[in-house]
Amino acid sequence: MTAHHRLVILASFVICILLPALPADAESLPGFRGTMIRRTGTTAINFTQAARDSYRRLSSLASRSSTSHLNSSDNNTQRIPLRMDDSGGAYDMEFSMGTPPQKLTALADTGSDLIWAKCGGACTTSCEPQGSPSYLPNASSTFAKLPCSDRLCSLLRSDSVAWCAAAGAECDYRYSYGLGDDDHHYTQGFLARETFTLGADAVPSVRFGCTTASEGGYGSGSGLVGLGRGPLSLVSQLNASTFMYCLTSDASKASPLLFGSLASLTGAQVQSTGLLASTTFYAVNLRSISIGSATTPGVGEPEGVVFDSGTTLTYLAEPAYSEAKAAFLSQTSLDQVEDTDGFEACFQKPANGRLSNAAVPTMVLHFDGADMALPVANYVVEVEDGVVCWIVQRSPSLSIIGNIMQVNYLVLHDVHRSVLSFQPANCDTYQANEASRPL
Ligand SMILES: *[C@@H]1O[C@H](CO)[C@@H](O)[C@H](O)[C@H]1NC(C)=O
Ligand SMILES: *[C@@H]1O[C@H](CO)[C@@H](O)[C@H](O)[C@H]1NC(C)=O
Ligand SMILES: *[C@@H]1O[C@H](CO)[C@@H](O)[C@H](O)[C@H]1NC(C)=O
Ligand SMILES: *[C@@H]1O[C@H](CO)[C@@H](O)[C@H](O)[C@H]1NC(C)=O
Ligand SMILES: CC(=O)N[C@H]1CO[C@H](CO)[C@@H](O)[C@@H]1O
C-alpha cells in the first residue's frame, strides 16, 4: 500500500466519522465522489502500445457509431460494453461493492453504459485475464439477482444479449466483443443489484452484470463501469444529471471523478458547447482548429469529435487531419525525424529538453461557443527517448479527443442539458482542495 492510498483511506475514514454529525440538507441534490487511475500506474505510457490500443478503440467506437448513432433510439447498442484491451493509458475507476464493501477497480468507459464485474469464486479460474479480484456475492448481505422482469433485463433483451433463465427468476447475458465469429472476447453471467460505495457514500440497488466467465476484451481490471448517456450507466443510476473528471498529469496519482451536485463549474474561465444529438457518444461540433497563425477546418455534424476518456491519443478525420498536420509541420522549428506508430509529425527533442511555443506552434480547438487553448504537453509527447511527436493521428472514421489532450482540464458532462463544459485546472491540487466533502 502506498502512502497515497493510506492517505485516501484515512481521509475516507475521517469523512465517515464526521458525516453523521453534520446536518442533512434536504434541498441539496446528492453528489458522489469517485477516483480514476491511469492503467499504466507509475510507469510511463508505452506509446507503441497506446497507439495500438487507441486505434482498436477508435475502430470499436466507429463500428458502433456507423450502425447505431444516427438512430440510437431504435437500437441503443451503446448499452453494450466496448472492447478494451489492456491499455497504454486508459483509466480505471476505484469503487466498492457489497456490504461490507469489497474494493475493486474497473475500466471507466464514457463510450458505453453497462456496468459489470467479475463475480464469485468460480470467476477466479473461468475469467481471463486472471489476477484481478472478483466481487464475491456470498460475502455480501445486500446482493440480489435481478429477475427477468427487471427493466435492465428488458433493455438488454431488446439488444439480443440477454435472456430469461430459471423460470424468470434470473436474467442471463453474454456479450461478445469480437467481430464476426471471434469466440475469444466475451463476458457472460447474470444480472444483479448491489450496494455500491463511492468515496464515503453507499448507493443501494445499483444494477450490474455479475460476470461468471469472460475472455479478453477489457484489460486487467475487475470489469467495466459504463459512464455513457443511456439509462444503464452509472451516471443514470446515480440520478446524476452531471459528472465531471479532472485527469492529472501525474499518472501515478488519482484523478477525481465527481457526480451530481459535486460536478458543476462556475467562473469566467468556463467554456461550454452543446453535445450533438446525432450521436450517443459525448460528441461536439469542432468548427475549426488554430495551429500557430493558421486556421484549419474542424469536424462538424453529424459525427463531430467525441470526448472519450478511454482513448489515449487524439484522432482527426480527413480533411481536418492533413490540413492541421501541414500547418503543424510548417510552423515547428525542430528537426523532423521518421514517423513511428502512426505518429506523422515527430521531431528531435530540443537540446534544452523544454517544449515551448518557441519550438512548436500553439494549438486551439474552436468548438461552438467554446475555445480550448491547449497546453503544449496536451498535444506534443515524448514517444521515445529524445523523440517528441504531435499526438494527433489520422482517423479513417470517427474523430476523438483522447485523454492526454484532456489532462489538466475539468471536463463536465451535463447529460440532462446536453452540454459539455471545460475549464483549465491543476488536477493534482484540485483533488487536494476538495479533500473534504462539501455539503
Ligand atoms: C511497448 O509496447 C510494445 C507493444 O506491446 C512492446 O513490443 C514493447 O516492448 C514495449 N516497450 C517497452 C519499453 O516496454
Ligand atoms: C434492432 O435490433 C433488433 C434485434 O437485434 C433487430 O431485429 C432490428 O432490426 C434492429 N433495428 C434497427 C432499426 O436496427
Ligand atoms: C465465498 O466464496 C468464495 C469462493 O467460492 C469462498 O472462498 C469464500 O469462503 C466464500 N465466503 C463466504 C462468506 O461464504
Ligand atoms: C434515483 O431515483 C430513483 C427513482 O426516483 C430512486 O428509486 C433511487 O433511489 C435514486 N437513486 C439514488 C442513488 O438516489
Ligand atoms: C439521421 C438518420 O439517418 N436518421 C434516420 C433514422 O431512421 C429513420 C427511419 O428508420 C430515417 O428516416 C432517418 O433518416
Side-chain angles (χ1 to χ4, degrees), residues 317-357:
E318 295 291 17
Y321 174 77
S322 287
E323 297 212 22
K325 186 182 84 172
F328 191 85
L329 286 173
S330 70
Q331 294 178 81
T332 299
S333 60
L334 305 171
D335 294 329
Q336 195 177 351
V337 300
E338 241 178 82
D339 299 354
T340 172
D341 298 314
F343 296 102
E344 297 182 328
C346 293
F347 308 90
Q348 259 169 34
K349 196 178 171 182
N352 67 7
R354 291 216 331 273
L355 277 170
S356 70
N357 286 126

Side-chain angles (χ1 to χ4, degrees), residues 46 48-49 52:
N46 176 336
T48 301
Q49 189 65 39
R52 196 175 294 175

Side-chain angles (χ1 to χ4, degrees), residues 102-143:
Q102 302 174 30
K103 199 174 169 202
L104 297 175
T105 62
L107 193 87
D109 185 10
T110 51
S112 68
D113 285 356
L114 182 69
I115 303 164
W116 69 264
K118 288 182 171 183
C119 219
C123 202
T124 311
T125 49
S126 59
C127 294
E128 296 281 353
Q130 294 178 11
S132 54
S134 294
Y135 147 78
L136 299 176
N138 66 347
S140 170
S141 60
T142 40
F143 162 82

